[in-house]
Amino acid sequence: MKLEPDYYKGRVALNCLAGSVQNAKEIYEAAQGHLVCGLLTKNYANTESCVTAMKKYQSAVNNAISIGLGAGDPNQSKMVCEVSETVQPQHVNQVFTGVGFTRALIGQNETVINGLVSPTGKVGYVNVATGPLSSKEKVATIPVVTAIAMLKDMGGSSLKFFPMQGLKHLEEYEYVVRACADNNFSIEPTGGINLDNFENILQIALKAGVKKVLPHVYSSIIDKDSGLTRPEDVKKLFEIVKSNLD
């Protein structure tokens, strides 16, 4: 089973939601394999049913799956850990405080595990209180570089900056990507990214020198009637990626 994500062959890949196994195949092909299919644990009643479903996706797209929380829900942290231990996906989304536990359970270093930090409104700082208990307390504002170091300590692979709300936190994002570049860490911009602002968000990270960029583009490219991600929109996003890497 392939654990190393395709985007390690280049600088950029996409993370888009898969609404069905067939949809996963379609969006994976639309991005020519440079994509991990987002699958949300929140959509399943328990760990067992989630594992069963995700193994079907895993087989369909060469394990290019991203096990997610569901809108950053900290209450899904434990289930993400449990599912990831069994499924062994290429990518895992986790709250900041759940990264170390996930890495320990998954038992290998190839799978990418991100750590969710949130904007604070203050450039150079992020909120790391994104866990099941910590998110209910006061915001824990720490320097971006410290958050990156802590994620490395815990076995994390990348920093997930969420919720970005598109370009609302632009100055904060610009600082975050520079810090990631300076500290040899990957970035995963997430929240409110669409076909209109995607290129700007991508270019900022690439110009800063970040070596690995994994933008999450979710609801903006999902068909409201079918609930499926539109392959044609994924293709448009991938064309933008290629044009910025040429």
Side-chain angles (χ1 to χ4, degrees):
M1 180 172 60
K2 187 173 183 291
L3 290 174
E4 187 180 27
D6 286 324
Y7 82 88
Y8 274 146
K9 296 178 181 178
R11 289 183 70 187
V12 182
L14 301 169
N15 189 322
C16 301
L17 286 177
S20 69
V21 173
Q22 182 59 34
N23 191 217
K25 291 179 181 178
E26 291 170 353
I27 62 176
Y28 183 69
E29 291 171 2
Q32 297 176 20
H34 296 271
L35 176 146
V36 281
C37 300
L39 304 171
L40 307 180
T41 56
K42 197 171 184 176
N43 292 339
Y44 298 90
N46 52 55
T47 297
E48 292 73 22
S49 61
C50 187
V51 166
T52 299
M54 290 193 181
K55 284 186 174 181
K56 294 177 182 178
Y57 284 91
Q58 191 174 38
S59 299
V61 292
N62 196 27
N63 197 27
I65 61 171
S66 170
I67 295 180
L69 300 154
D73 186 351
N75 295 315
Q76 293 300 119
S77 180
K78 185 174 183 290
M79 188 170 173
V80 165
C81 286
E82 293 170 345
V83 172
S84 298
E85 178 184 19
T86 302
V87 174
Q88 296 285 309
Q90 287 187 3
H91 185 274
V92 178
N93 296 272
Q94 188 54 278
V95 295
F96 187 86
T97 55
V99 170
F101 187 35
T102 307
R103 180 61 75 193
L105 280 182
I106 212 163
Q108 40 83 3
N109 293 317
E110 286 77 18
T111 292
V112 170
I113 302 173
N114 69 33
L116 192 162
V117 302
S118 300
T120 61
K122 184 178 180 182
V123 175
Y125 294 82
V126 289
N127 171 35
V128 298
T130 59
L133 298 177
S134 57
S135 61
K136 297 176 183 177
E137 304 298 334
K138 291 182 179 179
V139 170
T141 301
I142 68 171
V144 174
V145 290
T146 305
I148 292 172
M150 291 173 73
L151 284 170
K152 287 183 177 181
D153 282 345
M154 295 185 287
S157 316
S158 61
L159 185 150
K160 181 176 180 178
F161 194 51
F162 171 86
M164 280 183 57
Q165 296 176 276
L167 298 172
K168 181 178 180 180
H169 299 280
L170 182 60
E171 290 185 11
E172 289 178 76
Y173 174 64
E174 289 173 335
Y175 188 99
V176 165
V177 294
R178 288 196 300 270
C180 285
D182 291 344
N183 291 277
N184 192 30
F185 210 57
S186 301
I187 182 68
E188 300 186 25
T190 314
I193 303 178
N194 55 42
L195 287 166
D196 295 323
N197 62 28
F198 174 79
E199 186 165 26
N200 192 0
I201 290 169
L202 175 63
Q203 286 178 344
I204 290 169
L206 292 176
K207 287 178 180 177
V210 183
K211 292 183 179 179
K212 306 293 180 186
V213 186
L214 185 68
H216 295 225
V217 190
Y218 281 7
S219 58
S220 66
I221 59 170
I222 292 177
D223 183 88
K224 292 180 180 178
D225 294 326
S226 67
L228 303 176
T229 293
R230 294 185 289 267
E232 61 271 23
D233 284 352
V234 172
K235 188 174 181 179
K236 290 175 184 176
L237 291 170
F238 188 58
E239 290 300 323
I240 293 172
V241 170
K242 290 194 293 183
S243 68
N244 280 277
L245 292 176
D246 290 340

Short mmCIF file of all heavy atoms in Angstrom, two decimals, residues 3 81 84-86 88-89 92 99-111 113 154-155:
data_model
loop_
_atom_site.label_atom_id
_atom_site.label_comp_id
_atom_site.label_asym_id
_atom_site.label_seq_id
_atom_site.Cartn_x
_atom_site.Cartn_y
_atom_site.Cartn_z
N LEU A 3 2.03 4.75 0.85
CA LEU A 3 1.82 5.70 1.94
C LEU A 3 2.29 7.11 1.58
O LEU A 3 1.73 8.10 2.04
CB LEU A 3 2.56 5.24 3.20
CG LEU A 3 1.99 4.00 3.90
CD1 LEU A 3 2.91 3.58 5.04
CD2 LEU A 3 0.59 4.28 4.43
N CYS A 81 -7.93 9.52 15.01
CA CYS A 81 -6.79 8.71 15.46
C CYS A 81 -7.06 7.22 15.25
O CYS A 81 -6.23 6.49 14.70
CB CYS A 81 -6.52 8.96 16.94
SG CYS A 81 -5.76 10.53 17.34
N SER A 84 -7.31 6.23 11.52
CA SER A 84 -6.00 6.33 10.86
C SER A 84 -5.09 5.17 11.23
O SER A 84 -4.33 4.68 10.39
CB SER A 84 -5.33 7.65 11.24
OG SER A 84 -6.09 8.75 10.82
N GLU A 85 -5.18 4.73 12.48
CA GLU A 85 -4.34 3.60 12.92
C GLU A 85 -4.62 2.36 12.07
O GLU A 85 -3.69 1.65 11.67
CB GLU A 85 -4.62 3.29 14.39
CG GLU A 85 -3.82 2.12 14.91
CD GLU A 85 -4.17 1.76 16.35
OE1 GLU A 85 -5.26 2.17 16.82
OE2 GLU A 85 -3.37 1.06 16.99
N THR A 86 -5.87 2.11 11.78
CA THR A 86 -6.26 0.92 11.02
C THR A 86 -6.09 1.11 9.52
O THR A 86 -5.56 0.24 8.83
CB THR A 86 -7.73 0.55 11.33
OG1 THR A 86 -7.87 0.33 12.73
CG2 THR A 86 -8.13 -0.71 10.58
N GLN A 88 -4.36 3.49 7.74
CA GLN A 88 -3.03 3.89 7.25
C GLN A 88 -3.14 4.70 5.94
O GLN A 88 -2.65 4.30 4.88
CB GLN A 88 -2.14 2.66 7.03
CG GLN A 88 -1.81 1.89 8.31
CD GLN A 88 -0.77 2.58 9.18
OE1 GLN A 88 0.29 2.97 8.71
NE2 GLN A 88 -1.11 2.76 10.46
N PRO A 89 -3.77 5.86 6.00
CA PRO A 89 -3.95 6.68 4.80
C PRO A 89 -2.70 7.45 4.44
O PRO A 89 -1.71 7.44 5.19
CB PRO A 89 -5.05 7.64 5.24
CG PRO A 89 -4.73 7.87 6.70
CD PRO A 89 -4.29 6.52 7.20
N VAL A 92 -3.62 12.75 7.01
CA VAL A 92 -4.53 12.85 8.15
C VAL A 92 -4.66 14.32 8.56
O VAL A 92 -3.67 15.04 8.66
CB VAL A 92 -4.01 12.05 9.36
CG1 VAL A 92 -4.94 12.22 10.56
CG2 VAL A 92 -3.87 10.57 9.01
N VAL A 99 -1.98 15.66 17.34
CA VAL A 99 -0.96 15.24 16.37
C VAL A 99 -0.06 14.14 16.93
O VAL A 99 0.20 13.12 16.28
CB VAL A 99 -0.11 16.45 15.92
CG1 VAL A 99 1.10 16.00 15.10
CG2 VAL A 99 -0.96 17.41 15.09
N GLY A 100 0.46 14.32 18.15
CA GLY A 100 1.37 13.35 18.72
C GLY A 100 0.73 11.98 18.92
O GLY A 100 1.34 10.95 18.62
N PHE A 101 -0.51 11.98 19.39
CA PHE A 101 -1.24 10.73 19.59
C PHE A 101 -1.45 10.02 18.25
O PHE A 101 -1.29 8.79 18.15
CB PHE A 101 -2.58 11.03 20.27
CG PHE A 101 -3.36 9.83 20.69
CD1 PHE A 101 -2.74 8.68 21.14
CD2 PHE A 101 -4.75 9.83 20.62
CE1 PHE A 101 -3.46 7.56 21.53
CE2 PHE A 101 -5.49 8.72 21.00
CZ PHE A 101 -4.85 7.58 21.46
N THR A 102 -1.78 10.79 17.23
CA THR A 102 -2.00 10.21 15.91
C THR A 102 -0.73 9.58 15.36
O THR A 102 -0.75 8.45 14.85
CB THR A 102 -2.53 11.27 14.93
OG1 THR A 102 -3.67 11.92 15.49
CG2 THR A 102 -2.90 10.65 13.59
N ARG A 103 0.38 10.32 15.46
CA ARG A 103 1.65 9.78 14.95
C ARG A 103 2.03 8.50 15.68
O ARG A 103 2.51 7.53 15.06
CB ARG A 103 2.76 10.81 15.08
CG ARG A 103 4.13 10.34 14.55
CD ARG A 103 4.08 10.01 13.06
NE ARG A 103 4.05 11.21 12.25
CZ ARG A 103 3.77 11.22 10.95
NH1 ARG A 103 3.47 10.09 10.31
NH2 ARG A 103 3.75 12.37 10.26
N ALA A 104 1.83 8.47 16.98
CA ALA A 104 2.17 7.28 17.75
C ALA A 104 1.32 6.08 17.35
O ALA A 104 1.82 4.97 17.17
CB ALA A 104 2.00 7.56 19.25
N LEU A 105 0.02 6.31 17.17
CA LEU A 105 -0.88 5.21 16.80
C LEU A 105 -0.62 4.72 15.38
O LEU A 105 -0.70 3.52 15.11
CB LEU A 105 -2.34 5.65 16.92
CG LEU A 105 -2.97 5.65 18.31
CD1 LEU A 105 -4.43 6.06 18.22
CD2 LEU A 105 -2.86 4.28 18.96
N ILE A 106 -0.32 5.65 14.48
CA ILE A 106 -0.16 5.26 13.08
C ILE A 106 1.14 4.49 12.87
O ILE A 106 1.24 3.69 11.93
CB ILE A 106 -0.27 6.51 12.18
CG1 ILE A 106 -0.89 6.15 10.83
CG2 ILE A 106 1.06 7.22 12.00
CD1 ILE A 106 -1.40 7.35 10.06
N GLY A 107 2.13 4.74 13.73
CA GLY A 107 3.31 3.88 13.78
C GLY A 107 4.29 3.97 12.63
O GLY A 107 5.11 3.07 12.44
N GLN A 108 4.23 5.02 11.84
CA GLN A 108 5.20 5.22 10.74
C GLN A 108 5.27 6.71 10.42
O GLN A 108 4.44 7.50 10.87
CB GLN A 108 4.84 4.39 9.50
CG GLN A 108 3.36 4.32 9.16
CD GLN A 108 2.84 5.50 8.38
OE1 GLN A 108 3.57 6.40 8.00
NE2 GLN A 108 1.53 5.52 8.13
N ASN A 109 6.28 7.10 9.65
CA ASN A 109 6.52 8.52 9.40
C ASN A 109 6.16 8.99 7.99
O ASN A 109 6.31 10.17 7.67
CB ASN A 109 8.00 8.85 9.67
CG ASN A 109 8.36 8.71 11.13
OD1 ASN A 109 7.62 9.14 12.00
ND2 ASN A 109 9.51 8.09 11.40
N GLU A 110 5.68 8.07 7.15
CA GLU A 110 5.38 8.44 5.76
C GLU A 110 4.07 9.24 5.63
O GLU A 110 3.99 10.19 4.85
CB GLU A 110 5.30 7.20 4.87
CG GLU A 110 6.65 6.57 4.55
CD GLU A 110 7.20 5.76 5.72
OE1 GLU A 110 6.41 5.42 6.61
OE2 GLU A 110 8.42 5.51 5.73
N THR A 111 3.05 8.82 6.36
CA THR A 111 1.76 9.51 6.28
C THR A 111 1.91 10.96 6.74
O THR A 111 2.51 11.24 7.77
CB THR A 111 0.72 8.81 7.17
OG1 THR A 111 0.43 7.53 6.61
CG2 THR A 111 -0.58 9.62 7.26
N ILE A 113 0.65 14.15 8.48
CA ILE A 113 -0.30 14.52 9.53
C ILE A 113 -0.20 16.03 9.73
O ILE A 113 0.87 16.54 10.09
CB ILE A 113 -0.01 13.80 10.86
CG1 ILE A 113 -0.05 12.28 10.68
CG2 ILE A 113 -1.01 14.23 11.92
CD1 ILE A 113 0.38 11.49 11.91
N MET A 154 5.93 16.88 17.90
CA MET A 154 4.88 15.88 18.01
C MET A 154 4.82 14.92 16.82
O MET A 154 4.00 14.01 16.79
CB MET A 154 3.52 16.57 18.17
CG MET A 154 3.38 17.34 19.47
SD MET A 154 1.71 18.02 19.72
CE MET A 154 1.66 19.35 18.52
N GLY A 155 5.69 15.14 15.84
CA GLY A 155 5.68 14.27 14.66
C GLY A 155 4.77 14.74 13.56
O GLY A 155 4.43 13.98 12.65
#
